[in-house]
Amino acid sequence: QVRVVESGGGLVQAGGSLRLSCAASGIAFNIAAMNWYRQAPGKQRELVAAISSGGSTNYEDSVKGRFTISRDNAKKAVYLQMNSLKPEDTAVYYCNAHLGTFPFETDYWGQGTQVTVSS
């Protein structure tokens, strides 16, 4: 059974930090691309940060220099360190595990964790 579970969300003041964690089980984690998405009220879900199976990273422009994605294959976990948080970072953050390549690809999602940044 595949499970993707996020944790670490919460309420923080602007300028503060949070660290999100995502634990994945039931998948070949070491070959999965792992991603963090977020969805704010009334907005589409957007990709925030990505890390490939080889450790290459990419970030959405608005979080570059503030967020850091990392992974621990031994623990089957991925993390998102968020610093210098802004009210516009408020959203539900989702962990995504992406396996395979087009057209044989599969995505697994967590249930999401709320991040609220107060001004």
Side-chain angles (χ1 to χ4, degrees):
Q1 182 181 0
V2 177
R3 292 192 69 202
V4 178
V5 181
E6 304 98 335
S7 60
L11 173 64
V12 64
Q13 289 188 331
S17 298
L18 281 175
R19 187 189 193 217
L20 304 184
S21 299
C22 171
S25 60
I27 62 170
F29 184 87
N30 60 323
I31 62 171
M34 298 300 298
N35 308 298
W36 285 100
Y37 285 76
R38 68 184 178 188
Q39 187 166 19
K43 294 188 177 181
Q44 289 189 332
R45 189 173 296 189
E46 64 175 354
L47 178 62
V48 175
I51 186 165
S52 70
S53 58
S56 297
T57 59
N58 279 292
Y59 299 93
E60 193 268 329
D61 285 346
S62 69
V63 308
K64 285 180 180 177
R66 300 190 297 122
F67 290 11
T68 302
I69 189 171
S70 60
R71 64 189 294 159
D72 185 333
N73 287 345
K75 295 183 178 180
K76 296 189 175 183
V78 63
Y79 308 98
L80 187 67
Q81 178 66 44
M82 305 185 295
N83 299 327
S84 302
L85 282 161
K86 304 176 181 180
E88 51 264 43
D89 295 318
T90 295
V92 178
Y93 284 70
Y94 296 91
C95 179
N96 163 262
H98 181 86
L99 289 159
T101 56
F102 181 84
F104 307 106
E105 49 194 346
T106 305
D107 285 281
Y108 300 98
W109 294 89
Q111 80 289 347
T113 186
Q114 177 71 47
V115 171
T116 302
V117 184
S118 63
S119 58

